Amino acid sequence: MDARIEHHIVSNCLHEPLQSSYREFRSTETALLKVNNDILDSLDKDCVSVLIVLDLSAAFDTIDHQTLLERLEQHFCITGIPGPWMTSYLSERFQTVSVVGELLLPVLMEYSVPQGSVLGPKNYVLYTKALGYVIRRHGLQQHIYADDTQLYLSFNSKDDVIQAETLTRIENCLIEIEALMHQSMLKLNNEKKKSCFLHQNISHSSWTKCLYK
């Protein structure tokens, strides 16, 4: 089933193009290389870049099944026989915990994707594809790996008007991302949110450390 869904999505170009996780020939390395190249290119043009790194809290654990099924149908045209298959795959799953060798009563999992499954990560990536739409709508650059998002924007720091407009665009984008996360029953981890300004006076190693934090 996973192979069929992937073939359908790839054949119809339905993947978020700047999401590198759980895809063939995509990795953390490709994500970092893309961001690294874009930032260095902006520094060569004597621009300042704002980089913001976002992280989600327990992202795989809060996915709403009904919302996921609706998005699979509306945005990825997963209908017909595969639709009921996916509904069956998500339904009637229970989870239990062992405490000192004793199993507690099973709990029906009304949210989340099955842990350790093949389809679980793919479902998460499809569930959150709208994040890319939001970022592009505000004119920011981005790269996403699973639940980690790097968004950035470069501007001419010598122009006060452009600088103010850039910061406003970033602020509005973050507000809309917050709203999307709330709508999707996901939560941004503010403790792991990082931001930094990158310019010619900062060394390559310094901003790379910022990226890895």
Side-chain angles (χ1 to χ4, degrees):
M1 184 175 180
D2 174 71
R4 292 186 181 184
I5 291 176
E6 181 65 14
H7 176 74
H8 165 71
I9 293 172
V10 171
S11 299
N12 293 282
C13 301
L14 297 174
H15 267 304
E16 162 55 47
L18 294 175
Q19 165 68 268
S20 284
S21 55
Y22 317 117
R23 295 175 61 185
E24 189 176 16
F25 307 122
R26 303 292 185 98
S27 66
T28 52
E29 182 178 5
T30 57
L32 288 170
L33 284 174
K34 173 67 167 63
V35 177
N36 183 78
N37 181 75
D38 289 345
I39 297 294
L40 289 179
D41 184 55
S42 71
L43 294 179
D44 287 341
K45 296 175 182 176
D46 199 23
C47 290
V48 172
S49 294
V50 182
L51 171 68
I52 300 172
V53 181
L54 304 177
D55 180 78
L56 292 174
S57 299
F60 285 42
D61 298 331
T62 58
I63 290 177
D64 178 65
H65 292 172
Q66 188 57 42
T67 302
L68 171 60
L69 292 171
E70 289 173 359
R71 290 180 180 178
L72 291 178
E73 179 179 352
Q74 295 170 5
H75 303 302
F76 299 96
C77 300
I78 297 179
T79 57
I81 294 177
W85 282 354
M86 190 62 70
T87 301
S88 175
Y89 175 75
L90 295 170
S91 302
E92 299 298 319
R93 286 185 174 271
F94 292 82
Q95 180 172 298
T96 187
V97 178
S98 176
V99 179
V100 195
E102 181 179 350
L103 287 176
L104 301 183
L105 290 175
V107 176
L108 177 64
M109 303 304 294
E110 299 181 88
Y111 304 92
S112 80
V113 291
Q115 298 297 312
S117 65
V118 174
L119 275 177
K122 187 180 299 296
N123 281 335
Y124 169 78
V125 168
L126 301 182
Y127 186 77
T128 57
K129 182 183 177 181
L131 178 59
Y133 297 148
V134 170
I135 297 172
R136 278 191 290 275
R137 185 158 55 244
H138 290 274
L140 275 67
Q141 293 178 280
Q142 59 163 314
H143 212 97
I144 307 171
Y145 189 89
D147 57 349
D148 293 316
T149 302
Q150 300 165 53
L151 53 102
Y152 48 101
L153 190 59
S154 302
F155 61 95
N156 183 351
S157 62
K158 298 176 183 178
D159 189 319
D160 292 340
V161 174
I162 291 179
Q163 180 174 334
E165 290 177 347
T166 298
L167 297 178
T168 298
R169 283 165 61 187
I170 293 173
E171 182 180 358
N172 290 339
C173 182
L174 291 173
I175 290 172
E176 191 170 346
I177 288 175
E178 280 274 11
L180 174 65
M181 295 300 102
H182 180 74
Q183 178 187 2
S184 302
M185 301 188 69
L186 300 171
K187 182 181 179 182
L188 290 172
N189 187 342
N190 289 324
E191 293 183 0
K192 291 187 177 181
K193 182 167 68 175
K194 304 291 182 182
S195 62
C196 57
F197 284 83
L198 309 168
H199 49 83
Q200 280 192 334
N201 294 329
I202 189 171
S203 68
H204 177 274
S205 60
S206 296
W207 81 258
T208 302
K209 289 178 182 177
C210 170
L211 195 62
Y212 274 98
K213 283 183 180 179

